Amino acid sequence: MAEQETSAGRSDLTDLVDYPRETLDIELKTWIDLGDKIAQAKLARHIAALANHGGGYLVFGFRDDQSVAEERPAELSAYSRDTFGKIVTRYLTPAFQCDVKLVRSSAGLVFPVVRVPSHGPVPVGAKADGPHDARGQPQGIRAGTYYVRKPGPKSEAVLGIEDWQPLIRRCILSDRDSLLADIGRAVQPRAEGPSVAETDRLTAWHDASAERWRRIVAGAAAFRWPVPIVANHCQLSYMLLSEAGVAIPPGELRPLLEQANREVRQTVFTGWSMFYPFTRPEIAAALHPEHDDGTGIDVLESNLIGDGNFDTSLPDYWRYAADGRATILRPYREDRPRSVQEQGRSAGSWLSPETVIRETAELVAHARTMAEHCGGDRVAFRCSWRGLTGREIDDFGGIYWSPGRSARADQRTTGGTWEVPVLVADWHSVVAELSCPVLSLFGFRDCSAELVAGLAPRFVKL
């Protein structure tokens, strides 16, 4: 059966069904007969193309014009992992597992969402033809063919080098990551001491971005949150470093972040990623000068608070500078009205260790990916959590931690600098070094690289 939406998965994925759109990452499909062989072959083609694109979604129940499709099935049991697993096994190689969740829209309608994972060290290819037509031609998919996503968006066969290049690169990176992971125990994740100038530069960026965010919150008269957001939030920042310096053409920031979003899914996948460049007009990322007086370098900025009049599952605010500085500010998931309702705990009363560790892991994965694309050889991090006093340890999804552990300190800031190969080979230790000091404030003594590694399979929720 399809998995029912969880508290984390539902809120992160509702945007897919509240604001349906087709992109290279997302394929909308109307209601179809999943027992039809031709339909299965066509779905196999889309699944192969999305996998070779670095992963994506199939969202059912919508027409190509993004309107809700009519003739909704009486029940949705056919949209299951088993159904899509059989399609993959029949038509594609190497085989892999698609995840399926039923996501409820804000209007109350439920839609099946299929998460297609990225390919691994080899691309996904077709191993069998779809049903043949009267002329003996395969329908939907052709054996021996590799499919990719192309503008339109469409799922089509690889034709030339421009189709192969990004696919081959991702295969090489996947194989490289696996190899480095095998020797990761031999690598010491040493946090190098950055120069004073580097430390000051990242701190200045971190603090100036927080001040800009506070002004945005103050100006959003209609914005409402269960607890004071300025006093209860985390801020996660990093800075790409290299001897030659990092310079990203402003026009390439958005496509680079879209690519990073796809690659980060191999580590953390709960919906949209950090620094996701939305295209919905009211929350679309846009270029701004770094400073309010119009000076400084170009910065791509996304503001999910706006004037406070529109709803998102988490009111993130992020900035990404053309020189590789990045920061994201967000309130705690634990304080969302949905979390309060589902957990039966009041906002501001608890903190999830898994969420602290997972979001730190996503930051490290994003920084590593952007460094690889932009020529960075080291990454400096600065991470801050505020509003901790009086919160107790608890968690989502049935994870049990010993109760009664609360924080007496209100905030914690951590940081460090690591070379990119260490972020690849032993990222569990890097994440532990950045996140465990926060949990230590709660008397949480179990935090370690081993705990991060143990929780890591839970970081891919869809």
Side-chain angles (χ1 to χ4, degrees):
M1 293 180 62
E3 184 178 342
Q4 292 291 330
E5 51 202 4
T6 65
S7 58
R10 176 173 67 217
S11 58
D12 283 345
L13 296 172
T14 301
D15 192 68
L16 285 174
V17 297
D18 278 353
Y19 305 97
R21 67 273 188 196
E22 282 202 311
T23 67
L24 294 179
D25 301 340
I26 304 169
E27 177 73 20
L28 298 181
K29 304 301 293 182
T30 188
W31 302 111
I32 62 176
D33 179 3
L34 291 174
D36 181 82
K37 300 300 184 185
I38 296 176
Q40 292 178 2
K42 291 179 179 179
L43 285 175
R45 184 182 75 245
H46 289 304
I47 291 170
L50 287 167
N52 287 335
H53 184 66
Y57 302 95
L58 282 168
V59 183
F60 289 88
F62 295 95
R63 299 190 185 94
D64 290 339
D65 64 2
Q66 303 174 7
S67 63
V68 176
E70 298 176 353
E71 300 181 357
R72 168 180 288 269
E75 52 91 25
L76 301 175
S77 61
Y79 292 86
S80 67
R81 290 184 181 182
D82 287 346
T83 297
F84 289 92
K86 290 176 181 177
I87 291 173
V88 169
T89 300
R90 177 178 176 80
Y91 287 109
L92 305 179
T93 186
F96 54 90
Q97 179 69 57
C98 293
D99 290 327
V100 184
K101 286 193 178 180
L102 301 179
V103 180
R104 187 176 301 277
S105 72
S106 297
L109 296 175
V110 175
F111 298 91
V113 176
V114 180
R115 178 246 168 177
V116 179
S118 175
H119 63 87
V122 297
V124 174
K127 68 177 183 180
D129 285 343
H132 290 77
D133 61 18
R135 296 176 298 173
Q137 296 298 311
Q139 301 176 83
I141 193 168
R142 182 183 292 273
T145 303
Y146 293 89
Y147 295 91
V148 294
R149 297 288 282 172
K150 298 184 181 182
K154 299 175 287 187
S155 298
E156 295 186 341
V158 171
L159 295 179
I161 189 62
E162 67 278 2
D163 294 334
W164 278 115
Q165 280 181 334
L167 180 54
I168 291 172
R169 183 182 184 279
R170 282 194 300 271
C171 289
I172 292 172
L173 287 175
S174 177
D175 197 37
R176 187 281 313 271
D177 289 356
S178 297
L179 178 61
L180 286 176
D182 288 340
I183 62 173
R185 293 178 181 176
V187 179
Q188 293 297 319
R190 179 172 56 92
E192 298 184 351
S195 68
V196 173
E198 290 172 347
T199 300
D200 289 348
R201 186 161 166 251
L202 178 56
T203 300
W205 163 259
H206 187 88
D207 293 346
S209 296
E211 178 58 32
R212 179 174 173 83
W213 173 75
R214 284 191 287 269
R215 292 197 297 272
I216 289 173
V217 172
F223 179 72
R224 298 291 182 270
W225 194 251
V227 294
I229 192 173
V230 171
N232 294 269
H233 68 275
C234 64
Q235 181 179 4
L236 309 176
S237 303
Y238 69 77
M239 180 170 64
L240 307 183
L241 300 169
S242 77
E243 295 301 323
V246 174
I248 308 169
E252 294 182 13
L253 272 171
R254 181 185 295 274
L256 274 172
L257 290 174
E258 291 173 346
Q259 177 65 28
N261 176 55
R262 291 191 289 271
E263 296 182 21
V264 167
R265 291 172 182 169
Q266 298 182 52
T267 304
V268 178
F269 196 2
T270 61
W272 67 73
S273 74
M274 290 179 177
F275 310 105
Y276 184 85
F278 288 98
T279 56
R280 244 173 74 198
E282 65 267 35
I283 58 174
L287 283 174
H288 293 260
E290 180 178 359
H291 306 299
D292 289 343
D293 63 2
T295 62
I297 67 171
D298 288 315
V299 175
L300 191 65
E301 180 177 302
S302 182
N303 172 14
L304 302 193
I305 295 175
D307 60 6
N309 280 312
F310 54 87
D311 177 56
T312 58
S313 56
L314 267 183
D316 285 351
Y317 169 77
W318 59 257
R319 307 176 80 200
Y320 209 105
D323 61 1
R325 288 173 294 163
T327 193
I328 182 168
L329 293 101
R330 61 170 39 156
Y332 297 116
R333 293 174 183 267
E334 297 87 330
D335 298 340
R336 294 176 304 179
R338 286 170 177 164
S339 299
V340 170
Q341 181 180 4
E342 291 160 2
Q343 295 291 123
R345 299 203 57 158
S346 60
S349 69
W350 63 291
L351 189 76
S352 157
E354 182 193 0
T355 302
V356 170
I357 293 170
R358 186 185 70 236
E359 291 186 343
T360 308
E362 185 172 6
L363 181 79
V364 171
H366 197 281
R368 178 203 75 193
T369 299
M370 289 297 287
E372 291 173 335
H373 283 289
C374 302
D377 50 43
R378 294 172 295 136
V379 181
F381 294 90
R382 184 176 178 84
C383 305
S384 300
W385 290 262
R386 296 177 182 271
L388 303 176
T389 301
R391 291 180 183 263
E392 294 183 351
I393 290 295
D394 203 346
D395 227 314
F396 299 100
I399 298 181
Y400 175 79
W401 309 109
S402 298
R405 292 182 282 185
S406 61
R408 296 186 180 181
D410 192 63
Q411 56 186 284
R412 189 69 167 95
T413 296
T414 64
T417 301
W418 289 268
E419 294 185 355
V420 172
V422 176
L423 302 182
V424 175
D426 201 9
W427 63 268
H428 303 118
S429 295
V430 177
V431 171
E433 196 158 334
L434 291 171
S435 61
C436 288
V438 182
L439 301 179
S440 295
L441 298 181
F442 295 80
F444 191 94
R445 299 182 180 86
D446 304 321
C447 193
S448 63
E450 290 72 24
L451 177 66
V452 176
L455 289 173
R458 296 177 56 90
F459 298 167
V460 179
K461 294 185 180 291
L462 180 69

